[in-house]
Amino acid sequence: MYALISFDQSKAQKAVLSLSALLRQMLYGTQKNAITLKEEADFITHYVDLMRIRTGENVNIKLNISIPPSNDIFIAPVILISLVENAFKHGISPTMTSFISINLFSDGEKIEFEIKNSNFPKNNSDKSGHGIGLKQVAKRLDLAYKDKYEWIKGVDDLNKPQIRN
């Protein structure tokens, strides 16, 4: 953001707004046992907005959110964003064409969250927490939604936890 201030003030302003929203949610939202699905969707949107600024033109990012306006679904905070972070960590390349597709859908009773990305796995010499993120998400899902979710992980790097009320 510091560099953006010098050459693109408009992007820098957007980045500051998105970052402040993320920090606010991290401070207040994570102190609760549950937040609204809309709050989690807003958090994901702000995160993706920041990542769009950070990534180059070789990264195609799609974000589709479809939740009812009168959403009464509450979920454990920062579970879904962990999957989004993971998609950016392992799904984009600084030099090769990459994509991330994020879809969040709710009909008011169930939630479907789907992420597809190009896969650029870390090499064996990179020891920065490889494999920990998805294990932590799985543990948090088990703690919060034991026997109420389905995690579908496909060959095409599809991560699609479905949480049922």
Side-chain angles (χ1 to χ4, degrees), residues 119-132:
N119 186 13
F120 295 98
K122 292 180 177 187
N123 61 38
N124 290 335
S125 65
D126 188 345
K127 304 292 183 196
S128 61
H130 183 69
I132 294 172

Side-chain angles (χ1 to χ4, degrees), residues 63-106:
L63 175 63
N64 300 304
I65 296 175
S66 178
I67 57 177
S70 60
N71 174 35
D72 291 336
I73 294 180
F74 283 81
I75 63 170
V78 298
I79 289 180
L80 302 181
I81 191 63
S82 298
L83 296 169
V84 175
E85 290 172 335
N86 197 64
F88 278 95
K89 185 176 183 180
H90 300 286
I92 61 174
S93 165
T95 57
M96 298 174 65
T97 300
S98 310
F99 76 92
I100 294 180
S101 174
I102 303 165
N103 297 293
L104 175 59
F105 166 80
S106 176

